[in-house]
Amino acid sequence: MAVEVSFGGVKLAKSCTDHRLRQRRFGTERAKKIVLRLNQLSAAEHLGEMMTLPQARCHQLSADRDEAFSLDLDGPYRMIVEIAEIPVPRNQDGGVLLSEVRHVVVTDIVDTH
């Protein structure tokens, strides 16, 4: 079973899925990385697999955004995804159980620095 990917809004969905709009809004290199990351997410069985891809540099955000993850695109730009499952799968220690996360929402493409 693959990770299901949805988007946090119609504008973001169109910007990420429409080839021409993606190229225009993000430029050639970032547009390619967006497609690559979306394909990698869709091919993964769970979010934990993204943590094993060095080029994606997937990492969990901290504090009040602990259910969000950042994936490298180009330069300082990141794709931010949040866990869409309710309730969020948790370990006994309260951490996110990544091997059970199979639905994420892309919430932003942003320069995080």
Side-chain angles (χ1 to χ4, degrees), residues 16-56:
C16 290
T17 58
D18 179 89
H19 176 73
R20 281 194 161 144
L21 189 54
R22 186 175 54 243
Q23 293 273 52
R24 190 175 333 128
R25 182 168 177 202
F26 300 114
T28 304
E29 285 308 307
R30 192 167 312 128
K32 286 179 186 177
K33 292 285 186 161
I34 289 169
V35 171
L36 176 64
R37 296 294 176 249
L38 291 173
N39 288 342
Q40 288 171 331
L41 278 166
S42 295
E45 287 207 22
H46 51 77
L47 187 57
E49 285 187 17
M50 292 302 293
M51 302 292 264
T52 66
L53 296 175
Q55 67 274 27

Side-chain angles (χ1 to χ4, degrees), residues 21-95:
L21 189 54
R22 186 175 54 243
Q23 293 273 52
R24 190 175 333 128
R25 182 168 177 202
F26 300 114
T28 304
E29 285 308 307
R30 192 167 312 128
K32 286 179 186 177
K33 292 285 186 161
I34 289 169
V35 171
L36 176 64
R37 296 294 176 249
L38 291 173
N39 288 342
Q40 288 171 331
L41 278 166
S42 295
E45 287 207 22
H46 51 77
L47 187 57
E49 285 187 17
M50 292 302 293
M51 302 292 264
T52 66
L53 296 175
Q55 67 274 27
R57 286 193 47 214
C58 181
H59 60 278
Q60 189 172 7
L61 301 181
S62 59
D64 63 334
R65 298 197 68 191
D66 79 324
E67 295 174 2
F69 293 79
S70 173
L71 298 138
D72 269 11
L73 294 175
D74 66 315
Y77 283 86
R78 308 288 183 265
M79 175 183 288
I80 307 298
V81 298
E82 293 182 3
I83 299 169
E85 297 177 30
I86 300 174
V88 172
R90 298 267 180 193
N91 292 320
Q92 289 181 349
D93 66 0

